[in-house]
Amino acid sequence: MKQGGEHWQWDPNVPFYLGVLPRRGASGSDVKWFRAPNAFPGHTVNAYEDDAGDIVFDLPLTDKNVFFWWPDAQGNAPTPEEIAAKLVRYTFDPRSSNLSLPAFEVLAHEDCEFPRIDDRFAGNKHMCAFFDLMDPSLGSDFSTIMPRMGGGHPPYNSIGCLDYHTMKLKKYFPGRTHLVQEPIFVPRKGADIVEGDGWMIMLINNYASMASELHIVDTRDFETPQAIIDLPIRLRAGLHGNWVDNQDIEMSK
């Protein structure tokens, strides 16, 4: 996408760029700009260096303009139902002089965004990921939702949990008149660190009541909520957040 006057114009001929630089002691001249065919990258899952020294980078990716509420200079924009981001993986050598990224591997074909991992594994190999999903087959009541949802945020009706060991995708579906916001992961308290063992907390917009709900899901029983907290207002979509353990806050003082 490039800026043109007062509009953002989608240009399908502009490559998708990925900048790579050393984590420590780097300057601007150390950035290597790898490129791939034009695409719209979403929020990233995670990236890590494998045993061969290659970078493994997971993210949602689509060939459509996700910011559909911002049409291009000619007024063109995809409709929300046209947009679908697959979860993909790029694996590439950061030392290579060939700056063209190899083809990505598709990890999950369903429309997804706002991925999260167990943050204790950030920058290391991850074996599970959580993300928003749009799965029309789950039975959402779009006739109730769509006239009321407004604009400015892509619609997602469920939360997915991808197990990289089995590549099985579990789903939490909050209800027929509900859309989900970005989830956060809270590790289960205890001495044993098991990746992805804990709680998912997410804001849910209920378009029947026109109020928001806070849903808490145990990752050991992903399809069933452990608690649903009714909020007295509807919070607009698009909130970002992180979980910080109180122990970590105390240690930082």
Side-chain angles (χ1 to χ4, degrees):
M1 213 158 35
K2 65 180 181 181
Q3 191 171 12
E6 297 180 353
H7 298 274
W8 286 95
Q9 183 173 358
W10 183 264
D11 187 343
N13 298 311
V14 174
F16 156 45
Y17 286 98
L18 179 63
V20 178
L21 73 161
R23 185 172 183 177
R24 296 179 177 85
S27 64
S29 61
D30 295 316
V31 180
K32 294 179 72 171
W33 290 103
F34 290 83
R35 56 185 176 268
N38 181 268
F40 198 114
H43 295 78
T44 60
V45 178
N46 187 35
Y48 60 90
E49 186 176 343
D50 66 14
D51 293 338
D54 292 340
I55 290 177
V56 180
F57 180 41
D58 294 357
L59 76 162
L61 196 70
T62 178
D63 61 351
K64 297 289 192 298
N65 176 14
V66 173
F67 296 152
F68 59 87
W69 54 90
W70 286 341
D72 66 19
Q74 286 73 44
N76 301 313
T79 59
E81 56 268 20
E82 292 180 277
I83 303 167
K86 299 175 182 178
L87 185 66
V88 307
R89 167 169 288 182
Y90 284 102
T91 303
F92 62 99
D93 184 354
R95 301 152 298 193
S96 175
S97 58
N98 180 2
L99 298 183
S100 294
L101 285 173
F104 56 73
E105 172 192 359
V106 178
L107 302 177
H109 289 269
E110 298 193 49
D111 182 20
C112 64
E113 241 298 350
F114 299 115
R116 307 299 295 251
I117 63 166
D118 182 336
D119 287 332
R120 297 171 296 179
F121 291 80
N124 297 289
K125 185 176 182 178
H126 59 278
M127 295 306 296
C128 68
F130 310 94
F131 36 77
D132 287 5
L133 280 175
M134 171 50 75
D135 183 352
S137 71
L138 293 175
S140 291
D141 180 4
F142 293 110
S143 63
T144 296
I145 294 172
M146 299 311 289
R148 300 182 179 187
M149 67 171 287
H153 189 271
Y156 299 101
N157 67 350
S158 55
I159 299 293
C161 172
L162 180 64
D163 183 336
Y164 282 73
H165 293 284
T166 63
M167 299 309 293
K168 179 181 178 182
L169 181 61
K170 296 186 292 186
K171 299 174 185 178
Y172 171 67
F173 179 58
R176 297 185 67 246
T177 60
H178 299 62
L179 294 181
V180 304
Q181 297 199 36
E182 180 180 13
I184 62 169
F185 172 77
V186 181
R188 195 180 306 276
K189 195 170 185 64
D192 295 333
I193 296 179
V194 178
E195 183 183 0
D197 183 28
W199 312 89
M200 298 304 299
I201 300 179
M202 64 211 80
L203 278 169
I204 308 289
N205 284 346
N206 184 337
Y207 290 91
S209 65
M210 290 305 289
S212 293
E213 304 166 358
L214 190 68
H215 289 217
I216 302 174
V217 175
D218 189 337
T219 60
R220 297 179 182 177
D221 182 19
F222 198 74
E223 289 80 9
T224 306
Q226 297 298 306
I228 297 177
I229 302 168
D230 293 324
L231 303 181
I233 58 173
R234 175 177 173 241
L235 298 173
R236 66 176 299 164
L239 297 178
H240 292 292
N242 283 297
W243 175 268
V244 179
D245 191 283
N246 187 64
Q247 180 179 345
D248 295 332
I249 295 176
E250 293 299 323
M251 291 175 61
S252 67
K253 290 182 179 179

